Amino acid sequence: MIIAACVDEAMGLRFNGRRQSRDRIMMEQLCAMAGNRLRMSFASAKLLAQESSAYIGEDYLSGAGSGDWCFVEDTAYLTSKDEIEQIVLFQWNRSYPADEYFQFPGEWKLIQRRDFAGSSHENITIEVYQK
């Protein structure tokens, strides 16, 4: 599986049980990258456009196979760390308060990095990591 997550500059994921931020263009980028292999929870699905073909369910991680993209907004992905093939981080260009942080499950190497302008953030960086 491929894990995709949004983090701030300090690798923060959530604060007080909520996502730190959201960005429409970032979600469009994620959907384009994942194609019809995107999976997420019901809570995350609120970020999608109506026409999305993403799989939405609380079993989105446990049911993921090789090449499936799982959009995570908390550290639940750590229970599936042995199945993770790649990590894609969308990094906000600022720091927010956070009480839950992204953790790399083992050793990972940065293989690609690029920036784009979002709808709510003038700069979002995509980082792709491989084992």
Side-chain angles (χ1 to χ4, degrees), residues 13-85:
L13 279 170
R14 296 170 64 85
F15 179 67
N16 201 21
R18 297 186 310 253
R19 71 180 55 93
Q20 294 176 315
S21 190
R22 57 199 273 167
D23 189 277
R24 177 184 48 79
I25 294 175
M26 184 284 307
M27 285 305 293
E28 291 170 2
Q29 289 271 335
L30 173 61
C31 290
M33 293 169 73
N36 63 354
R37 310 247 1 222
L38 182 59
R39 303 171 64 85
M40 63 182 58
S41 70
F42 289 111
S44 296
K46 296 173 185 173
L47 299 172
L48 290 173
Q50 293 291 349
E51 67 276 357
S52 174
S53 63
Y55 173 84
I56 300 165
E58 293 312 311
D59 63 342
Y60 75 103
L61 283 169
S62 62
S66 180
D68 286 341
W69 286 66
C70 295
F71 180 63
V72 299
E73 293 194 276
D74 58 27
T75 55
Y77 65 93
L78 291 171
T79 62
S80 304
K81 64 184 177 188
D82 294 335
E83 288 82 40
I84 301 173
E85 308 160 51

